[in-house]
Amino acid sequence: MSHITREKLDLVNRTKKVIGQLESVLRGLNEDSPCADVLQRLSAARGSINSLMAELMEDHIRNHMPRRNKSSEEAAADLIEIVRAYLK
C-alpha cells in the first residue's frame, strides 16, 4: 500500500475505532446487555467497516488500477472485478 503518512495514520486510527466498537459488542454480549443496545453497537461497527472499505477501495481504484491502453469496456470490467472481490 502506498499511502502517505497522514493517510496511513488515519486508516490505522479508523481501524482501531472498528476494533473498539467490536470489543464493545463483545462486552455487551458478555454482560447480557439488551439486544437493542448490542445491535446498535454492531450497526455502528458495520458502518465504520463499510466506510473504511470504501476508502481503501477508492484508493485502490485511483492509484493501483492500470489505466493505460484500455477501452472503457475493459476498464469497467476491471472495476467490476475489484468491487466483486471486496463484496464477497
Side-chain angles (χ1 to χ4, degrees), residues 5 10 24-26 36 39 44 49 52 59 63 66-67 69 75 78-79 83:
T5 305
D10 177 55
S24 175
V25 170
L26 183 58
L39 287 168
I49 290 170
L52 180 59
D59 178 70
N63 298 307
R67 295 181 209 141
N69 303 323
D78 286 347
L79 182 57
V83 170

Side-chain angles (χ1 to χ4, degrees), residues 2-63:
S2 59
H3 297 281
I4 62 172
T5 305
R6 177 184 283 156
E7 290 172 338
K8 184 176 180 180
L9 181 60
D10 177 55
L11 294 170
V12 168
N13 286 335
R14 289 172 68 179
T15 302
K16 288 178 180 179
K17 178 182 175 185
V18 170
I19 291 168
Q21 289 172 319
L22 291 173
E23 287 172 342
S24 175
V25 170
L26 183 58
R27 274 193 310 276
L29 292 171
N30 285 331
E31 295 169 1
D32 293 323
S33 295
C35 293
D37 291 350
V38 175
L39 287 168
Q40 185 176 14
R41 295 174 192 182
L42 192 55
S43 177
R46 181 180 60 186
S48 295
I49 290 170
N50 288 342
S51 176
L52 180 59
M53 186 180 299
E55 180 85 20
L56 289 169
M57 283 177 56
E58 180 180 339
D59 178 70
H60 179 74
I61 291 164
R62 289 186 188 278
N63 298 307

